[in-house]
Amino acid sequence: MHRHDGDEVIFAPDTVRRIDLTGDGGDDYIVDFSETKCGDRETTYCGPDRA
């Protein structure tokens, strides 16, 4: 949980997934904000413009 402009931002436990997508043995990351919540709104945009 984090705060942004006074709103509580909640990230899902699997927001960032680490997986080797390229087969090179190194970690690659997938970031999925689809389940992120900002205050009482279900949106990833928590900035001052609320866009």
Side-chain angles (χ1 to χ4, degrees):
M1 175 181 63
H2 299 277
R3 291 202 175 271
H4 188 280
D5 288 337
D7 288 330
E8 179 180 73
V9 180
I10 301 171
F11 297 98
D14 61 347
T15 296
V16 179
R17 292 187 298 155
R18 184 175 52 194
I19 187 171
D20 180 9
L21 294 172
T22 59
D24 65 357
D27 290 335
D28 300 297
Y29 297 88
I30 297 174
V31 181
D32 178 5
F33 292 110
S34 66
E35 298 296 321
T36 301
K37 296 182 181 174
C38 181
D40 60 354
R41 292 169 282 120
E42 293 186 19
T43 179
T44 59
Y45 301 104
C46 301
D49 295 333
R50 311 277 189 231

